């Protein structure tokens, strides 16, 4: 169940504090207490949060840090460059995380949501030197980064920063060979650089575990007794080099299901992989926006809208009929850029689009969906 990575014995299941159960206007701390206790009792230790997950660090302090000895678990939090205007802000953000968490050190600290653009900001503001300094001071034990971009840019970052100790990647069976996320490609780059891998979004925001989805029929027919989540978890947990799989659990049932999967972890057989292929084909047959991310439209937009990223998000919405699994991606796509509601319907983008996509119509449909 556990493997030794970065000198630490780490159980493969991680408890992500991004989608905590809610009660009234806040979090259901009593339920989270029980989930934390059960997780630790089952032998798992990795807890994940971030400065930008509103209220999450404080909830971790109340349910974990105040209630369990600090050496019985590990905490990962993240530095998001959206919260950093100047170099000095990094220290403030880090100390705020420590204070919210009620701890004086972090086991893992990640530069949050890197891509070519955010890494440029990290370079300009000295974020890599900052995390190195924190490690030398003993304030963090290990540093790495979470990543949302293509394999080529990951290769460039890892080549420039061989000291990064681990990477956190979005990998799930649907994104494995997808054109937009390219999970397989980024996984192979991380392996080439011998980096231990943490998996995020193994269930694509919970939707690969959605009983109402088209995937459900395929998987339940193949094995009525297996949970939908267990298929997705087994797919990612069996990959070489994976030391942790994050799950944003928000009920005791999800936690028990994951504990059962990870305590009895079995790689998918060849026959089971064929079932996964069938599920992926069903999902791929749902129509998508035919955007090829050529970027011809981007320069034309007076509102600086990241059009190709929004076209991909809208495709995702068409597949799942939900925005639940892409809220974070929307935040990254619109950081320092125009939002859908900024679109002035000038259609300058459409004149450039070789795919003849009705971009402004789609963007106008996205405003009420994503900017609720
Ligand atoms: S229609 Fe909207 S998205 Fe297209 S260029 Fe004009 S403002 Fe930008
Ligand atoms: S021009 Fe069309 S195909 Fe190219 S990125 Fe823009 S929307 Fe996508």
């Amino acid at each position: 169940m556990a493997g030794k990575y970065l000198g630490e014995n780490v159980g493969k299941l991680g408890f992500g504090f991004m989608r905590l159960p809610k009660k009234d206007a806040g979090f259901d701390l009593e339920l989270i207490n029980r989930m934390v206790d059960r997780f630790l009792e089952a032998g798992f230790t990795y807890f994940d949060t971030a400065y930008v997950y509103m209220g999450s660090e404080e909830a971790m302090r109340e349910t974990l840090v105040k209630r369990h000895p600090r050496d019985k678990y590990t905490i990962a939090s993240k530095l998001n460059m959206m919260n950093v205007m100047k170099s000095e802000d990094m220290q403030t953000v880090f100390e705020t995380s420590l204070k919210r968490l009620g701890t004086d050190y972090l086991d893992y600290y990640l530069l949050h949501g890197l891509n070519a653009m955010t890494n440029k900001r990290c370079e300009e503001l000295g974020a890599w030197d900052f995390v190195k300094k924190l490690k030398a001071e003993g304030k963090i034990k290990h540093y790495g980064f979470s990543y949302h971009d293509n394999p080529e840019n990951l290769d460039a970052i890892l080549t420039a920063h061989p000291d990064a100790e681990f990477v956190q990647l979005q990998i799930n069976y649907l994104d494995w060979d997808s054109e937009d996320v390219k999970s397989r490609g980024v996984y192979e780059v991380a392996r080439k650089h011998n980096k231990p891998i943490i998996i995020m979004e193994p269930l694509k925001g919970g939707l690969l575990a959605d009983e109402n989805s088209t995937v459900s029929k395929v998987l339940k027919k193949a094995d009525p007794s297996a949970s939908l989540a267990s298929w997705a978890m087994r797919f990612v947990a069996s990959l070489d080099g994976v030391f942790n799989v994050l799950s944003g659990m928000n009920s005791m049932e999800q936690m028990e299901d994951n504990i059962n999967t990870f305590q009895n972890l079995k790689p998918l057989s060849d026959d089971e992989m064929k079932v996964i292929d069938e599920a992926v084909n069903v999902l791929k047959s749902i129509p998508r926006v035919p955007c090829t991310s050529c970027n011809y439209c981007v320069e034309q937009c007076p509102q600086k809208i990241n059009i190709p990223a929004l076209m991909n998000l809208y495709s995702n919405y068409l597949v799942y009929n939900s925005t639940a699994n892409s809220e974070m991606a929307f935040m990254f796509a619109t950081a320092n850029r125009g939002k859908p509601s900024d679109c002035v319907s000038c259609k300058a983008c459409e004149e450039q689009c070789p795919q003849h996509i009705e971009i402004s119509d789609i963007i106008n449909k996205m405003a009420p969906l994503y900017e609720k």
Side-chain angles (χ1 to χ4, degrees):
M1 178 174 89
K4 197 146 181 132
Y5 286 92
L6 308 173
E8 320 260 357
N9 260 321
V10 187
K12 267 202 176 168
L13 176 61
F15 190 170
F17 267 46
M18 193 171 100
R19 297 186 181 90
L20 292 169
K22 300 230 168 79
K23 191 176 180 187
D24 303 324
F27 293 125
D28 187 344
L29 294 181
E30 191 273 328
L31 173 57
I32 303 167
N33 281 343
R34 284 191 285 124
M35 291 172 73
V36 164
D37 295 352
R38 176 71 181 111
F39 186 75
L40 290 169
E41 181 222 15
F44 299 101
T45 54
Y46 192 99
F47 290 83
D48 173 85
T49 182
Y51 180 88
V52 292
Y53 302 164
M54 287 304 289
S56 166
E57 290 179 319
E58 292 89 339
M60 195 175 283
R61 178 188 68 224
E62 294 303 309
T63 57
L64 174 68
V65 180
K66 281 188 176 174
R67 300 176 57 254
H68 292 278
R70 183 65 183 86
D71 61 349
K72 297 294 180 209
Y73 55 83
T74 60
I75 296 179
S77 192
K78 311 186 191 79
L79 171 65
N80 196 306
M81 297 313 279
M82 279 193 297
N83 304 108
V84 175
M85 295 301 127
K86 53 188 187 309
S87 297
E88 302 85 270
D89 294 347
M90 291 187 284
Q91 189 71 32
T92 311
V93 169
F94 176 71
E95 280 169 12
T96 303
S97 282
L98 288 186
K99 195 165 166 217
R100 287 174 179 171
L101 283 159
T103 184
D104 52 8
Y105 73 94
L106 296 177
D107 302 271
Y108 304 91
Y109 201 41
L110 293 85
L111 298 174
H112 196 175
L114 290 202
N115 54 32
M117 199 178 78
T118 50
N119 185 51
K120 190 162 167 269
R121 207 163 157 68
C122 287
E123 305 284 8
E124 286 163 1
L125 293 172
W128 289 98
D129 289 338
F130 175 67
V131 290
K132 215 175 286 180
K133 175 185 84 90
L134 291 178
K135 182 168 173 169
E137 293 169 350
K139 300 265 178 62
I140 60 173
K141 289 190 176 174
H142 306 287
Y143 62 86
F145 60 97
S146 60
Y147 184 75
H148 298 272
D149 204 346
N150 60 37
E152 295 74 26
N153 288 334
L154 180 61
D155 197 32
I157 294 174
L158 287 174
T159 302
H161 298 285
D163 51 306
E165 295 173 87
F166 63 96
V167 290
Q168 183 167 310
L169 304 175
Q170 176 174 328
I171 298 182
N172 55 64
Y173 64 74
L174 183 60
D175 289 328
W176 188 242
D177 282 316
S178 76
E179 276 304 303
D180 41 354
V181 180
K182 298 188 172 80
S183 286
R184 184 201 290 269
V186 290
Y187 169 77
E188 286 171 355
V189 169
R191 292 297 292 151
K192 184 182 96 176
H193 287 267
N194 285 319
K195 297 299 169 193
I197 297 164
I198 298 174
I199 305 279
M200 59 182 156
E201 302 294 2
L203 302 177
K204 212 161 165 68
L207 288 159
L208 296 182
D210 183 349
E211 300 281 342
N212 300 315
S213 72
T214 30
V215 179
S216 166
K217 293 189 192 80
V218 178
L219 300 183
K220 282 290 173 197
K221 191 169 140 223
D223 183 352
S225 66
S227 72
L228 301 180
S230 69
W231 286 89
M233 293 299 186
R234 289 171 61 207
F235 179 85
V236 292
S238 313
L239 295 169
D240 287 342
V242 168
F243 83 96
N244 200 261
V245 180
L246 292 176
S247 179
M249 298 169 271
N250 59 23
S251 72
M252 211 50 160
E253 292 71 31
Q254 288 173 2
M255 174 150 290
E256 291 298 347
D257 182 41
N258 277 338
I259 287 173
N260 181 43
T261 301
F262 280 81
Q263 284 184 332
N264 305 291
L265 196 58
K266 287 195 303 279
L268 293 170
S269 66
D270 289 348
D271 282 346
E272 286 172 324
M273 280 305 298
K274 284 184 192 145
V275 175
I276 291 284
D277 287 344
E278 191 186 339
V280 170
N281 286 336
V282 167
L283 280 169
K284 282 190 176 159
S285 67
I286 297 169
R288 299 171 63 87
V289 182
C291 173
T292 59
S293 298
C294 68
N295 280 315
Y296 295 159
C297 54
V298 173
E299 284 293 310
Q300 312 306 317
C301 179
Q303 302 299 88
K304 300 200 177 341
I305 294 172
N306 187 345
I307 297 168
L310 294 190
M311 294 301 106
N312 275 324
L313 286 176
Y314 193 69
S315 285
N316 194 67
Y317 168 77
L318 291 177
V319 171
Y320 293 108
N321 199 26
S322 167
T323 58
N325 66 336
S326 53
E327 285 164 2
M328 190 63 74
F330 179 77
M331 199 170 82
F332 285 121
T334 52
N336 305 317
R337 305 285 293 261
K339 298 189 294 302
S341 58
D342 296 323
C343 174
V344 292
S345 300
C346 65
K347 303 198 183 215
C349 50
E350 294 178 22
E351 286 168 22
Q352 302 298 321
C353 181
Q355 307 301 326
H356 309 293
I357 298 168
E358 293 179 346
I359 299 171
S360 63
D361 281 359
I362 293 173
I363 287 193
N364 285 316
K365 281 183 201 153
M366 292 183 79
L369 291 170
Y370 283 88
E371 297 180 51
K372 291 174 269 193

